[in-house]
Amino acid sequence: MVSRRVALTAVLAALLLLAGCTAPTPPPDVANGGEIEGEEAPAGDDSTTSADRDDADTESHRDLDLDEDAVWDEVATMMDSDAQQPDLFVDEMPAGADQAFEPQQSEFQDALNATESSPSGSGTSGLAMPGSVYVFPDGPDEEVEQVLVHEYAHAIQFADGMFASWLRSAPGTTDEELLQTSLIEGGAVYVADEYTEENFPEFPAQSEQMAASYEAAPAGDRLLLAPYHYGAEYVHAEIDSADELPEVYRSHPVTTAEMLDPDGHPPATDLDVDVETSNSDWSVQRTDRKGELYTRIVLDTELSHDEATDAAAGWSDDELVAFEDVDGQEAFVWTTHWESEDNADAFAAAFDSKLDSRTDDWADRTVVERVDDRTVSVLIGPDEFRSAVDTTATNGTIDIDLGSTTAAPALTTPAQSTPTSATGADATVSS
């Protein structure tokens, strides 16, 4: 169920977007002492690999203790779909799907102290891809049935083309990925909730389980769990029955900020960031928009949930620029833009508070700078990088100039500067 931020071919991207109902940590106990979905397939011998599972004998392909045909028929009826029932595989992993169960990490997340992850726990998990559903049962019967329903919902989402346009290319930014995954997974959680209410209402709804798991998880896992939790909240607020799910994808938010508060956030402001590195040892490696949901989660590592939520509210846009020098050192400038000066104040104060409570090496290489009344930059990197960065706001454009971090040869004319433009979420880098 958890999609990973990795470079994928279109086919594998589709598979991971439809990844099943999983969670990387064992959540608080639920009804009758049961556990909700676990990140990994049921634990076995440590030496067992995906190849071993692929080559397993027919004993590993067993039936679930339920009528999967009846479950499919009910889900298809709920969703008003005539899609063909997918093949069901139990305790088997599709070739190439291992990445769906790998924890998400990045150097920037590490720099924000947001990579902590709990050991994987037990619990039922699942995976869906076009034409096939995979379930790894390891929990109460109701939980197994919920996960199967969730995966069948994904199969119908795909077969009915609810988000077909999204599968043609990978998301362009972190914010776009979190939004798309939230709407996809939130839709499947909604269907599982409706099914649960009809068939075993005494058992916790999948959305309740996702909320409990999200609240209990460290930041690294919250980045994976957030789409299920916040996506389900959004879908529950938008529709009243599973047959209305296509409406979620016909008219939807364009940022996670809009998803979190549909009535309070206009589209992002398309922040304009220009980067100058021609006289520097540093070069631009990539740009990204992180978004309000990501900002909330990474603030939550040191702050309370309410403090992080308040500090991320009022997000208008952001632009992350990642740099690398000739020696392979990494550095970052994360420029954030806010709806008001008060919102910018709140973020700057929250990030400073976050830094004050950290003792890791990255914290000593991080500073917060105010660019203008509504713009705050976070500079992360070695001393020579931070001292070279000059960030200014000019006529609505944020200019990041690294100046020169190397001594210029005597009696030579500096090369004409060639700005690198990073504009909005779809920035391209030129040099």
Side-chain angles (χ1 to χ4, degrees), residues 21-56:
C21 198
T22 62
T25 57
D29 288 348
V30 294
N32 302 319
E35 295 175 320
I36 70 169
E37 293 88 351
E39 161 71 7
E40 305 293 345
D45 187 286
D46 289 342
S47 63
T48 300
T49 65
S50 60
D52 295 330
R53 289 190 293 272
D54 290 338
D55 296 334

PDB file of all heavy atoms in Angstrom, residues 21-56:
ATOM      1  N   CYS A  21      -1.925  -2.626   1.192  1.00  0.00           N
ATOM      2  CA  CYS A  21      -2.198  -2.074   2.515  1.00  0.00           C
ATOM      3  C   CYS A  21      -1.117  -2.483   3.500  1.00  0.00           C
ATOM      4  O   CYS A  21      -1.204  -3.532   4.124  1.00  0.00           O
ATOM      5  CB  CYS A  21      -3.559  -2.563   2.974  1.00  0.00           C
ATOM      6  SG  CYS A  21      -4.235  -1.599   4.302  1.00  0.00           S
ATOM      7  N   THR A  22      -0.090  -1.685   3.606  1.00  0.00           N
ATOM      8  CA  THR A  22       1.024  -2.014   4.467  1.00  0.00           C
ATOM      9  C   THR A  22       1.382  -0.837   5.343  1.00  0.00           C
ATOM     10  O   THR A  22       1.049   0.294   5.064  1.00  0.00           O
ATOM     11  CB  THR A  22       2.271  -2.397   3.638  1.00  0.00           C
ATOM     12  OG1 THR A  22       2.644  -1.270   2.868  1.00  0.00           O
ATOM     13  CG2 THR A  22       2.001  -3.570   2.720  1.00  0.00           C
ATOM     14  N   ALA A  23       2.102  -1.121   6.413  1.00  0.00           N
ATOM     15  CA  ALA A  23       2.578  -0.072   7.302  1.00  0.00           C
ATOM     16  C   ALA A  23       3.866  -0.544   7.931  1.00  0.00           C
ATOM     17  O   ALA A  23       4.003  -1.717   8.253  1.00  0.00           O
ATOM     18  CB  ALA A  23       1.539   0.227   8.375  1.00  0.00           C
ATOM     19  N   PRO A  24       4.869   0.325   8.085  1.00  0.00           N
ATOM     20  CA  PRO A  24       6.182  -0.141   8.489  1.00  0.00           C
ATOM     21  C   PRO A  24       6.367  -0.432   9.961  1.00  0.00           C
ATOM     22  O   PRO A  24       7.410  -0.900  10.359  1.00  0.00           O
ATOM     23  CB  PRO A  24       7.104   0.995   8.041  1.00  0.00           C
ATOM     24  CG  PRO A  24       6.231   2.182   8.004  1.00  0.00           C
ATOM     25  CD  PRO A  24       4.866   1.711   7.685  1.00  0.00           C
ATOM     26  N   THR A  25       5.394  -0.121  10.798  1.00  0.00           N
ATOM     27  CA  THR A  25       5.584  -0.368  12.217  1.00  0.00           C
ATOM     28  C   THR A  25       4.364  -1.056  12.801  1.00  0.00           C
ATOM     29  O   THR A  25       3.250  -0.840  12.343  1.00  0.00           O
ATOM     30  CB  THR A  25       5.792   0.948  12.991  1.00  0.00           C
ATOM     31  OG1 THR A  25       4.674   1.806  12.754  1.00  0.00           O
ATOM     32  CG2 THR A  25       7.047   1.644  12.554  1.00  0.00           C
ATOM     33  N   PRO A  26       4.554  -1.888  13.824  1.00  0.00           N
ATOM     34  CA  PRO A  26       3.389  -2.444  14.493  1.00  0.00           C
ATOM     35  C   PRO A  26       2.677  -1.348  15.267  1.00  0.00           C
ATOM     36  O   PRO A  26       3.284  -0.697  16.105  1.00  0.00           O
ATOM     37  CB  PRO A  26       3.976  -3.499  15.434  1.00  0.00           C
ATOM     38  CG  PRO A  26       5.391  -3.080  15.634  1.00  0.00           C
ATOM     39  CD  PRO A  26       5.805  -2.367  14.390  1.00  0.00           C
ATOM     40  N   PRO A  27       1.402  -1.074  14.971  1.00  0.00           N
ATOM     41  CA  PRO A  27       0.672  -0.012  15.651  1.00  0.00           C
ATOM     42  C   PRO A  27       0.160  -0.463  16.993  1.00  0.00           C
ATOM     43  O   PRO A  27       0.318  -1.617  17.375  1.00  0.00           O
ATOM     44  CB  PRO A  27      -0.480   0.252  14.693  1.00  0.00           C
ATOM     45  CG  PRO A  27      -0.734  -1.094  14.111  1.00  0.00           C
ATOM     46  CD  PRO A  27       0.598  -1.756  13.996  1.00  0.00           C
ATOM     47  N   PRO A  28      -0.502   0.439  17.727  1.00  0.00           N
ATOM     48  CA  PRO A  28      -1.116   0.038  18.978  1.00  0.00           C
ATOM     49  C   PRO A  28      -2.109  -1.083  18.750  1.00  0.00           C
ATOM     50  O   PRO A  28      -2.707  -1.192  17.686  1.00  0.00           O
ATOM     51  CB  PRO A  28      -1.824   1.317  19.449  1.00  0.00           C
ATOM     52  CG  PRO A  28      -1.137   2.424  18.733  1.00  0.00           C
ATOM     53  CD  PRO A  28      -0.679   1.858  17.434  1.00  0.00           C
ATOM     54  N   ASP A  29      -2.279  -1.951  19.738  1.00  0.00           N
ATOM     55  CA  ASP A  29      -3.225  -3.056  19.609  1.00  0.00           C
ATOM     56  C   ASP A  29      -4.620  -2.528  19.319  1.00  0.00           C
ATOM     57  O   ASP A  29      -5.026  -1.475  19.774  1.00  0.00           O
ATOM     58  CB  ASP A  29      -3.277  -3.883  20.900  1.00  0.00           C
ATOM     59  CG  ASP A  29      -2.014  -4.705  21.080  1.00  0.00           C
ATOM     60  OD1 ASP A  29      -1.240  -4.787  20.102  1.00  0.00           O
ATOM     61  OD2 ASP A  29      -1.807  -5.231  22.176  1.00  0.00           O
ATOM     62  N   VAL A  30      -5.349  -3.290  18.531  1.00  0.00           N
ATOM     63  CA  VAL A  30      -6.715  -2.930  18.215  1.00  0.00           C
ATOM     64  C   VAL A  30      -7.635  -4.001  18.763  1.00  0.00           C
ATOM     65  O   VAL A  30      -7.268  -4.734  19.679  1.00  0.00           O
ATOM     66  CB  VAL A  30      -6.896  -2.751  16.686  1.00  0.00           C
ATOM     67  CG1 VAL A  30      -6.096  -1.568  16.218  1.00  0.00           C
ATOM     68  CG2 VAL A  30      -6.486  -4.008  15.928  1.00  0.00           C
ATOM     69  N   ALA A  31      -8.834  -4.082  18.218  1.00  0.00           N
ATOM     70  CA  ALA A  31      -9.853  -4.957  18.803  1.00  0.00           C
ATOM     71  C   ALA A  31      -9.333  -6.364  19.027  1.00  0.00           C
ATOM     72  O   ALA A  31      -8.658  -6.943  18.175  1.00  0.00           O
ATOM     73  CB  ALA A  31     -11.068  -4.997  17.872  1.00  0.00           C
ATOM     74  N   ASN A  32      -9.682  -6.913  20.172  1.00  0.00           N
ATOM     75  CA  ASN A  32      -9.341  -8.293  20.529  1.00  0.00           C
ATOM     76  C   ASN A  32      -7.843  -8.564  20.501  1.00  0.00           C
ATOM     77  O   ASN A  32      -7.413  -9.679  20.239  1.00  0.00           O
ATOM     78  CB  ASN A  32     -10.055  -9.268  19.581  1.00  0.00           C
ATOM     79  CG  ASN A  32     -11.558  -9.097  19.613  1.00  0.00           C
ATOM     80  OD1 ASN A  32     -12.137  -8.918  20.685  1.00  0.00           O
ATOM     81  ND2 ASN A  32     -12.193  -9.136  18.445  1.00  0.00           N
ATOM     82  N   GLY A  33      -7.067  -7.520  20.733  1.00  0.00           N
ATOM     83  CA  GLY A  33      -5.622  -7.710  20.791  1.00  0.00           C
ATOM     84  C   GLY A  33      -4.972  -7.861  19.440  1.00  0.00           C
ATOM     85  O   GLY A  33      -3.790  -8.190  19.343  1.00  0.00           O
ATOM     86  N   GLY A  34      -5.729  -7.646  18.348  1.00  0.00           N
ATOM     87  CA  GLY A  34      -5.161  -7.808  17.023  1.00  0.00           C
ATOM     88  C   GLY A  34      -4.215  -6.685  16.680  1.00  0.00           C
ATOM     89  O   GLY A  34      -4.177  -5.656  17.348  1.00  0.00           O
ATOM     90  N   GLU A  35      -3.447  -6.864  15.611  1.00  0.00           N
ATOM     91  CA  GLU A  35      -2.542  -5.839  15.121  1.00  0.00           C
ATOM     92  C   GLU A  35      -2.976  -5.443  13.723  1.00  0.00           C
ATOM     93  O   GLU A  35      -3.493  -6.258  12.967  1.00  0.00           O
ATOM     94  CB  GLU A  35      -1.105  -6.365  15.073  1.00  0.00           C
ATOM     95  CG  GLU A  35      -0.542  -6.697  16.438  1.00  0.00           C
ATOM     96  CD  GLU A  35       0.837  -7.322  16.328  1.00  0.00           C
ATOM     97  OE1 GLU A  35       1.031  -8.141  15.405  1.00  0.00           O
ATOM     98  OE2 GLU A  35       1.695  -6.997  17.138  1.00  0.00           O
ATOM     99  N   ILE A  36      -2.725  -4.178  13.378  1.00  0.00           N
ATOM    100  CA  ILE A  36      -3.082  -3.747  12.037  1.00  0.00           C
ATOM    101  C   ILE A  36      -1.913  -3.983  11.106  1.00  0.00           C
ATOM    102  O   ILE A  36      -0.876  -4.489  11.505  1.00  0.00           O
ATOM    103  CB  ILE A  36      -3.522  -2.276  12.015  1.00  0.00           C
ATOM    104  CG1 ILE A  36      -2.326  -1.365  12.285  1.00  0.00           C
ATOM    105  CG2 ILE A  36      -4.619  -2.003  12.977  1.00  0.00           C
ATOM    106  CD1 ILE A  36      -2.617   0.083  12.034  1.00  0.00           C
ATOM    107  N   GLU A  37      -2.090  -3.592   9.849  1.00  0.00           N
ATOM    108  CA  GLU A  37      -1.186  -3.990   8.789  1.00  0.00           C
ATOM    109  C   GLU A  37       0.278  -3.748   9.116  1.00  0.00           C
ATOM    110  O   GLU A  37       0.656  -2.735   9.654  1.00  0.00           O
ATOM    111  CB  GLU A  37      -1.533  -3.227   7.501  1.00  0.00           C
ATOM    112  CG  GLU A  37      -2.872  -3.611   6.929  1.00  0.00           C
ATOM    113  CD  GLU A  37      -3.991  -2.781   7.506  1.00  0.00           C
ATOM    114  OE1 GLU A  37      -3.750  -2.035   8.465  1.00  0.00           O
ATOM    115  OE2 GLU A  37      -5.109  -2.885   6.990  1.00  0.00           O
ATOM    116  N   GLY A  38       1.127  -4.704   8.712  1.00  0.00           N
ATOM    117  CA  GLY A  38       2.558  -4.579   8.915  1.00  0.00           C
ATOM    118  C   GLY A  38       3.244  -4.319   7.600  1.00  0.00           C
ATOM    119  O   GLY A  38       2.761  -4.697   6.544  1.00  0.00           O
ATOM    120  N   GLU A  39       4.420  -3.693   7.664  1.00  0.00           N
ATOM    121  CA  GLU A  39       5.117  -3.283   6.453  1.00  0.00           C
ATOM    122  C   GLU A  39       5.583  -4.467   5.632  1.00  0.00           C
ATOM    123  O   GLU A  39       5.508  -4.475   4.425  1.00  0.00           O
ATOM    124  CB  GLU A  39       6.314  -2.415   6.852  1.00  0.00           C
ATOM    125  CG  GLU A  39       7.398  -2.271   5.805  1.00  0.00           C
ATOM    126  CD  GLU A  39       6.951  -1.412   4.654  1.00  0.00           C
ATOM    127  OE1 GLU A  39       5.877  -0.828   4.726  1.00  0.00           O
ATOM    128  OE2 GLU A  39       7.682  -1.355   3.656  1.00  0.00           O
ATOM    129  N   GLU A  40       6.113  -5.474   6.268  1.00  0.00           N
ATOM    130  CA  GLU A  40       6.713  -6.550   5.510  1.00  0.00           C
ATOM    131  C   GLU A  40       5.760  -7.719   5.343  1.00  0.00           C
ATOM    132  O   GLU A  40       4.787  -7.875   6.056  1.00  0.00           O
ATOM    133  CB  GLU A  40       7.980  -7.054   6.231  1.00  0.00           C
ATOM    134  CG  GLU A  40       8.984  -5.957   6.510  1.00  0.00           C
ATOM    135  CD  GLU A  40       9.590  -5.396   5.243  1.00  0.00           C
ATOM    136  OE1 GLU A  40       9.457  -6.029   4.185  1.00  0.00           O
ATOM    137  OE2 GLU A  40      10.188  -4.322   5.311  1.00  0.00           O
ATOM    138  N   ALA A  41       6.084  -8.567   4.400  1.00  0.00           N
ATOM    139  CA  ALA A  41       5.403  -9.840   4.324  1.00  0.00           C
ATOM    140  C   ALA A  41       5.726 -10.622   5.587  1.00  0.00           C
ATOM    141  O   ALA A  41       6.704 -10.335   6.275  1.00  0.00           O
ATOM    142  CB  ALA A  41       5.887 -10.604   3.090  1.00  0.00           C
ATOM    143  N   PRO A  42       4.922 -11.640   5.935  1.00  0.00           N
ATOM    144  CA  PRO A  42       5.168 -12.387   7.158  1.00  0.00           C
ATOM    145  C   PRO A  42       6.606 -12.833   7.272  1.00  0.00           C
ATOM    146  O   PRO A  42       7.212 -13.300   6.314  1.00  0.00           O
ATOM    147  CB  PRO A  42       4.213 -13.592   7.012  1.00  0.00           C
ATOM    148  CG  PRO A  42       3.117 -13.070   6.146  1.00  0.00           C
ATOM    149  CD  PRO A  42       3.764 -12.107   5.209  1.00  0.00           C
ATOM    150  N   ALA A  43       7.167 -12.630   8.459  1.00  0.00           N
ATOM    151  CA  ALA A  43       8.576 -12.922   8.676  1.00  0.00           C
ATOM    152  C   ALA A  43       8.859 -14.401   8.527  1.00  0.00           C
ATOM    153  O   ALA A  43       8.077 -15.260   8.913  1.00  0.00           O
ATOM    154  CB  ALA A  43       8.986 -12.462  10.069  1.00  0.00           C
ATOM    155  N   GLY A  44       9.994 -14.700   7.960  1.00  0.00           N
ATOM    156  CA  GLY A  44      10.429 -16.082   7.826  1.00  0.00           C
ATOM    157  C   GLY A  44      11.891 -16.166   8.169  1.00  0.00           C
ATOM    158  O   GLY A  44      12.442 -15.317   8.852  1.00  0.00           O
ATOM    159  N   ASP A  45      12.560 -17.184   7.669  1.00  0.00           N
ATOM    160  CA  ASP A  45      13.984 -17.331   7.875  1.00  0.00           C
ATOM    161  C   ASP A  45      14.697 -16.141   7.257  1.00  0.00           C
ATOM    162  O   ASP A  45      14.372 -15.690   6.164  1.00  0.00           O
ATOM    163  CB  ASP A  45      14.454 -18.629   7.200  1.00  0.00           C
ATOM    164  CG  ASP A  45      15.910 -18.915   7.520  1.00  0.00           C
ATOM    165  OD1 ASP A  45      16.764 -18.223   6.953  1.00  0.00           O
ATOM    166  OD2 ASP A  45      16.157 -19.831   8.318  1.00  0.00           O
ATOM    167  N   ASP A  46      15.684 -15.579   7.971  1.00  0.00           N
ATOM    168  CA  ASP A  46      16.368 -14.383   7.491  1.00  0.00           C
ATOM    169  C   ASP A  46      17.045 -14.605   6.152  1.00  0.00           C
ATOM    170  O   ASP A  46      17.322 -13.662   5.425  1.00  0.00           O
ATOM    171  CB  ASP A  46      17.409 -13.915   8.514  1.00  0.00           C
ATOM    172  CG  ASP A  46      16.744 -13.335   9.746  1.00  0.00           C
ATOM    173  OD1 ASP A  46      15.550 -12.985   9.671  1.00  0.00           O
ATOM    174  OD2 ASP A  46      17.421 -13.269  10.782  1.00  0.00           O
ATOM    175  N   SER A  47      17.340 -15.851   5.822  1.00  0.00           N
ATOM    176  CA  SER A  47      18.043 -16.130   4.579  1.00  0.00           C
ATOM    177  C   SER A  47      17.107 -16.180   3.378  1.00  0.00           C
ATOM    178  O   SER A  47      17.542 -16.258   2.239  1.00  0.00           O
ATOM    179  CB  SER A  47      18.799 -17.462   4.684  1.00  0.00           C
ATOM    180  OG  SER A  47      17.881 -18.524   4.883  1.00  0.00           O
ATOM    181  N   THR A  48      15.802 -16.107   3.610  1.00  0.00           N
ATOM    182  CA  THR A  48      14.838 -16.182   2.520  1.00  0.00           C
ATOM    183  C   THR A  48      14.855 -14.885   1.719  1.00  0.00           C
ATOM    184  O   THR A  48      14.762 -13.810   2.276  1.00  0.00           O
ATOM    185  CB  THR A  48      13.423 -16.430   3.066  1.00  0.00           C
ATOM    186  OG1 THR A  48      13.418 -17.660   3.789  1.00  0.00           O
ATOM    187  CG2 THR A  48      12.423 -16.521   1.922  1.00  0.00           C
ATOM    188  N   THR A  49      14.977 -14.978   0.420  1.00  0.00           N
ATOM    189  CA  THR A  49      14.999 -13.811  -0.452  1.00  0.00           C
ATOM    190  C   THR A  49      13.755 -13.795  -1.321  1.00  0.00           C
ATOM    191  O   THR A  49      12.981 -14.751  -1.368  1.00  0.00           O
ATOM    192  CB  THR A  49      16.243 -13.836  -1.367  1.00  0.00           C
ATOM    193  OG1 THR A  49      16.119 -14.963  -2.251  1.00  0.00           O
ATOM    194  CG2 THR A  49      17.512 -13.969  -0.544  1.00  0.00           C
ATOM    195  N   SER A  50      13.585 -12.699  -2.058  1.00  0.00           N
ATOM    196  CA  SER A  50      12.440 -12.626  -2.960  1.00  0.00           C
ATOM    197  C   SER A  50      12.538 -13.704  -4.033  1.00  0.00           C
ATOM    198  O   SER A  50      11.528 -14.250  -4.480  1.00  0.00           O
ATOM    199  CB  SER A  50      12.366 -11.249  -3.600  1.00  0.00           C
ATOM    200  OG  SER A  50      13.527 -10.987  -4.342  1.00  0.00           O
ATOM    201  N   ALA A  51      13.766 -14.001  -4.463  1.00  0.00           N
ATOM    202  CA  ALA A  51      13.933 -15.055  -5.458  1.00  0.00           C
ATOM    203  C   ALA A  51      13.477 -16.401  -4.906  1.00  0.00           C
ATOM    204  O   ALA A  51      12.856 -17.210  -5.606  1.00  0.00           O
ATOM    205  CB  ALA A  51      15.391 -15.132  -5.907  1.00  0.00           C
ATOM    206  N   ASP A  52      13.809 -16.630  -3.621  1.00  0.00           N
ATOM    207  CA  ASP A  52      13.346 -17.862  -2.986  1.00  0.00           C
ATOM    208  C   ASP A  52      11.837 -17.930  -3.002  1.00  0.00           C
ATOM    209  O   ASP A  52      11.241 -18.980  -3.259  1.00  0.00           O
ATOM    210  CB  ASP A  52      13.841 -17.955  -1.539  1.00  0.00           C
ATOM    211  CG  ASP A  52      15.360 -18.070  -1.454  1.00  0.00           C
ATOM    212  OD1 ASP A  52      15.959 -18.637  -2.389  1.00  0.00           O
ATOM    213  OD2 ASP A  52      15.921 -17.589  -0.459  1.00  0.00           O
ATOM    214  N   ARG A  53      11.198 -16.783  -2.713  1.00  0.00           N
ATOM    215  CA  ARG A  53       9.741 -16.773  -2.688  1.00  0.00           C
ATOM    216  C   ARG A  53       9.174 -17.001  -4.075  1.00  0.00           C
ATOM    217  O   ARG A  53       8.175 -17.679  -4.262  1.00  0.00           O
ATOM    218  CB  ARG A  53       9.231 -15.454  -2.103  1.00  0.00           C
ATOM    219  CG  ARG A  53       9.465 -15.324  -0.612  1.00  0.00           C
ATOM    220  CD  ARG A  53       8.728 -14.133  -0.051  1.00  0.00           C
ATOM    221  NE  ARG A  53       9.263 -12.869  -0.542  1.00  0.00           N
ATOM    222  CZ  ARG A  53      10.259 -12.229   0.049  1.00  0.00           C
ATOM    223  NH1 ARG A  53      10.817 -12.710   1.135  1.00  0.00           N
ATOM    224  NH2 ARG A  53      10.687 -11.083  -0.435  1.00  0.00           N
ATOM    225  N   ASP A  54       9.827 -16.388  -5.081  1.00  0.00           N
ATOM    226  CA  ASP A  54       9.346 -16.573  -6.439  1.00  0.00           C
ATOM    227  C   ASP A  54       9.424 -18.026  -6.868  1.00  0.00           C
ATOM    228  O   ASP A  54       8.610 -18.503  -7.662  1.00  0.00           O
ATOM    229  CB  ASP A  54      10.168 -15.719  -7.418  1.00  0.00           C
ATOM    230  CG  ASP A  54       9.891 -14.229  -7.235  1.00  0.00           C
ATOM    231  OD1 ASP A  54       8.824 -13.902  -6.696  1.00  0.00           O
ATOM    232  OD2 ASP A  54      10.751 -13.430  -7.628  1.00  0.00           O
ATOM    233  N   ASP A  55      10.461 -18.746  -6.373  1.00  0.00           N
ATOM    234  CA  ASP A  55      10.675 -20.140  -6.759  1.00  0.00           C
ATOM    235  C   ASP A  55      10.057 -21.119  -5.785  1.00  0.00           C
ATOM    236  O   ASP A  55      10.295 -22.316  -5.868  1.00  0.00           O
ATOM    237  CB  ASP A  55      12.187 -20.424  -6.861  1.00  0.00           C
ATOM    238  CG  ASP A  55      12.832 -19.602  -7.974  1.00  0.00           C
ATOM    239  OD1 ASP A  55      12.110 -19.245  -8.929  1.00  0.00           O
ATOM    240  OD2 ASP A  55      14.042 -19.326  -7.870  1.00  0.00           O
ATOM    241  N   ALA A  56       9.277 -20.597  -4.832  1.00  0.00           N
ATOM    242  CA  ALA A  56       8.718 -21.485  -3.822  1.00  0.00           C
ATOM    243  C   ALA A  56       7.798 -22.512  -4.448  1.00  0.00           C
ATOM    244  O   ALA A  56       7.201 -22.301  -5.495  1.00  0.00           O
ATOM    245  CB  ALA A  56       7.937 -20.665  -2.785  1.00  0.00           C
TER     246      ALA A  56
END
